[in-house]
Amino acid sequence: MIEKSTGGIYVMDKDQITKKLEEVILEEMPELDSVNMNASMVNEYGINSVSLIRLIVAAEKKFDVEFDDYELDLSAYDTFADLVATVAEKI
């Protein structure tokens, strides 16, 4: 496993979260060949509120976390890196 143990609690660093989230994005959006985590989700990838919810649900399952209602708003995320930061806060 890629997780590191910290006093019996397993944590992931941001690079590991980014890699796993990129896998989630590519699984949920198979039309993409690759993902630039710093590109605009809306302008570069056409992400809308429905596709964001799909990504968040998949991320919740992958990382065993839960997003709050206010975190489901597309305006909260400019880039996929913003989504990585939110997941990192929850792990």
Side-chain angles (χ1 to χ4, degrees), residues 21-35 40-42 44-48 50-56 58 80 83:
L21 189 59
E22 186 174 351
E23 291 170 6
V24 168
I25 293 164
L26 293 173
E27 287 170 9
E28 290 299 313
M29 303 181 72
E31 67 275 12
L32 300 180
D33 294 326
S34 64
V35 178
S40 168
M41 291 192 323
V42 174
E44 293 296 319
Y45 297 104
I47 297 294
N48 59 32
V50 173
S51 51
L52 176 67
I53 297 297
R54 285 184 24 229
L55 289 175
I56 287 175
F80 292 117
L83 194 55

